[in-house]
Amino acid sequence: MKIKFIWPGETKESCLSKLESNYIKKISRFIKCEKIVFKSRFNEEKSKQIAFEEGEIEKRCGNLNNLILLTEKGKEMDSFEFAKFLEKKLNFQSDDIVFAVGGENGFSENFFKKGMFLLSLSKMTFTHEFARIILLEQVYRAFTIIKNIKYQR
Amino acid sequence: MKIKFIWPGETKESCLSKLESNYIKKISRFIKCEKIVFKSRFNEEKSKQIAFEEGEIEKRCGNLNNLILLTEKGKEMDSFEFAKFLEKKLNFQSDDIVFAVGGENGFSENFFKKGMFLLSLSKMTFTHEFARIILLEQVYRAFTIIKNIKYQR
C-alpha cells in the first residue's frame, strides 16, 4: 500500500516546489509515496481543460472510492481528526490512498458527485500550488500524530 | 493608515521567507505595509516565552481593538468574507490594521480574552511560518477582490 498524490503540471514556483520535495521525502519515511504529475491541456478553453484533468485523475486513481479530492467545498477537519481519518484508511483499506489536487481552474460540480471523498483544507481559497504543499504538510503532520513522534520542522 | 504584521523572529525557512517578501511587496501596491519582527526569548521556558510574546504584540499594536490575532480557535471566513471584513476596516477604521501571528508555541487562552479579533485560516494546525505566508497571501487576495483586479501569481 502506498500514498499517491496526483495533480496537473509540476509546481512552478521554485520555493513551493522545493517544499514539496522536502515533505514528500518526510512522508516517505512512514509510507511508500508516489507523486503523479500529468501534463494538462493548458491551451484549451477552461471547461475542456477541467474535463481533461478530471479524466486524467479518474484514470490514474483506479477506484474512485479510494480518491480524496481537495476542494474548499469538502469536509473540514482539524489536524487530529485528519490523522484519525488517515489512520483508519491505513488500517482498513487495502488499496492505495490517493489524494488529488486540481489545477488553477479547480473541478466541475459534476465531478464532485462521483463518490470520492471531498476534503477541505480551509474555507479560504488557496492557490492550487499552495494547496499541494499544505496537503503534504498535513499528511506529514498526521503521521507524526499517528506514530506519536516529534514534528520535525 | 497602514497594515502592520507582527510576529516573533524572522521567518527562518528561506523559501517561506522569500514568499513572505514577495507578498509584502504585492500588498504594498495597495496600502502602506509594515512588518514588525521582534526578538523573542527563545531560551526561556514555554509559558514565559508565550507571555513575553503576548506582551510584545500588545505593546506594538497600540489598541487591542485594532488587533487581528491568528489562531485556529478564531473565526473562519472564506476569501470573499475576509475581503469584505478587510474592506469594512479600510472604510470605517482610522487606526492601522494590525495582524499578529504567534510563535511556534502559540498563545495562552487568557490572551484570547482581551478583546482582539480572532481569525482562523483553517481548522487545521499550520506551522507558524506557514500561517504567516497564508495570511499574507489572503490579504493580497482580499485586495484583488476589493479592487476587482486580476490575481497575479
Side-chain angles (χ1 to χ4, degrees), chain A residues 74-125:
Chain A
K75 182 171 167 53
E76 273 195 283
M77 302 182 214
D78 68 33
S79 298
F80 289 94
E81 288 163 349
F82 179 62
K84 263 192 203 155
F85 167 82
L86 198 63
E87 193 176 22
K88 215 169 153 184
K89 290 206 163 274
L90 291 166
N91 289 337
F92 299 108
Q93 183 173 308
S94 54
D95 298 330
D96 295 334
I97 297 168
V98 189
F99 290 95
V101 184
E104 62 177 311
N105 298 313
F107 300 111
S108 70
E109 288 294 326
N110 272 336
F111 192 50
F112 294 145
K113 294 175 191 154
K114 293 208 168 185
M116 68 285 274
F117 186 88
L118 304 179
L119 173 68
S120 169
L121 299 173
S122 169
K123 274 191 185 155
M124 290 175 159
T125 307

Side-chain angles (χ1 to χ4, degrees), chain A residues 16-49:
Chain A
L16 294 178
S17 164
K18 204 182 131 188
L19 288 169
E20 184 181 298
S21 307
N22 283 348
Y23 280 116
I24 286 179
K25 219 181 285 171
K26 280 180 170 180
I27 297 166
S28 302
R29 285 184 219 143
F30 300 108
I31 191 167
K32 220 173 147 185
C33 180
E34 187 184 359
K35 184 179 84 170
I36 301 170
V37 177
F38 61 89
K39 243 185 153 165
S40 186
R41 295 190 174 156
F42 295 116
N43 295 326
E44 292 212 35
E45 63 177 83
K46 203 171 140 176
S47 63
K48 278 189 187 165
Q49 192 182 316

Side-chain angles (χ1 to χ4, degrees), chain B residues 8-143:
Chain B
E10 286 289 355
T11 300
K12 283 184 211 150
E13 214 290 320
S14 63
C15 274
L16 294 178
S17 164
K18 204 182 132 189
L19 288 169
E20 184 181 297
S21 306
N22 284 347
Y23 280 116
I24 287 178
K25 220 181 284 169
K26 281 180 171 181
I27 297 165
S28 302
R29 286 184 217 143
F30 300 107
I31 191 167
K32 220 173 145 185
C33 180
E34 187 184 359
K35 185 179 83 172
I36 301 170
V37 177
F38 61 89
K39 244 186 153 165
S40 186
R41 295 191 175 157
F42 296 116
N43 295 327
E44 292 213 34
E45 63 177 84
K46 204 170 140 176
S47 63
K48 279 189 185 165
Q49 191 181 317
I50 291 172
F52 175 79
E53 291 174 358
E54 290 171 352
E56 290 294 302
I57 289 169
E58 199 167 340
K59 211 164 70 189
R60 284 168 159 85
C61 84
N63 183 346
L64 278 174
N65 290 327
N66 300 330
L67 179 60
I68 300 149
L69 197 70
L70 267 78
T71 160
E72 65 251 43
K73 286 168 189 152
K75 183 173 164 54
E76 274 195 283
M77 301 183 216
D78 68 33
S79 298
F80 289 92
E81 288 163 349
F82 180 61
K84 263 192 203 154
F85 167 83
L86 197 63
E87 193 176 22
K88 215 169 154 184
K89 292 207 160 271
L90 292 166
N91 290 336
F92 299 107
Q93 183 173 307
S94 55
D95 298 331
D96 295 335
I97 298 169
V98 189
F99 290 94
V101 184
E104 63 176 310
N105 298 313
F107 300 111
S108 69
E109 289 294 327
N110 273 337
F111 193 51
F112 295 145
K113 294 175 190 153
K114 293 207 167 186
M116 67 286 272
F117 186 88
L118 304 179
L119 173 69
S120 168
L121 299 173
S122 169
K123 276 191 185 154
M124 289 175 160
T125 307
F126 297 153
T127 69
H128 60 293
E129 296 202 342
F130 256 130
R132 296 172 183 185
I133 311 308
I134 292 169
L135 167 67
L136 292 169
E137 194 269 338
Q138 289 300 314
V139 171
Y140 167 65
R141 187 182 290 273
F143 274 106

